[in-house]
Amino acid sequence: MPIKDRLTRHGLRHGHRTLMEELGTPKVLMDERMGHEDGSVGARYSHVTDSMRALLMEQLTEVWFESLDVRLALCPQSPVPALDRLLQECAATR
């Protein structure tokens, strides 16, 4: 079922993949995160490293905090308790 009109979990997967492409994530790591298997010859010689994972987590964390900053600027509160708590914590650190 859609999370919101025309927004589905599958669509969110596409958005996550697009974000990883924008961040320059290696294809082998994107495939691993998406649960895809690449049977190509090139994929046999590429491997995910701990440093690849660490860099991606740093990049995604940066995007997360940037999105909280933007949301905080729009409206400092939310009727969703979890988001409201995050916004308050974000405001306190600014």
Side-chain angles (χ1 to χ4, degrees):
M1 294 188 74
I3 298 166
K4 185 176 167 130
D5 290 343
R6 299 173 40 191
L7 177 63
T8 63
R9 286 176 283 159
H10 186 75
L12 292 173
R13 285 176 54 84
H14 282 260
H16 184 60
R17 176 73 182 226
T18 301
L19 176 58
M20 287 191 293
E21 288 175 0
E22 287 179 353
L23 294 173
T25 304
K27 183 181 181 318
V28 66
L29 180 55
M30 286 192 286
D31 286 344
E32 179 186 85
R33 280 186 68 87
M34 301 299 290
H36 297 166
E37 288 190 28
D38 183 351
S40 71
V41 172
R44 292 188 184 277
Y45 297 99
S46 281
H47 302 284
V48 175
T49 65
D50 290 340
S51 61
M52 284 179 188
R53 287 188 188 104
L55 176 59
L56 179 59
M57 293 315 314
E58 287 174 20
Q59 291 171 320
L60 291 174
T61 299
E62 183 176 326
V63 168
W64 168 254
F65 284 114
E66 287 172 2
S67 70
L68 278 177
D69 287 339
V70 169
R71 175 57 175 80
L72 183 63
L74 290 172
C75 183
Q77 296 177 319
S78 171
V80 178
L83 178 55
D84 192 57
R85 186 178 66 252
L86 288 167
L87 291 170
Q88 299 312 309
E89 290 171 5
C90 184
T93 63
R94 300 296 177 258

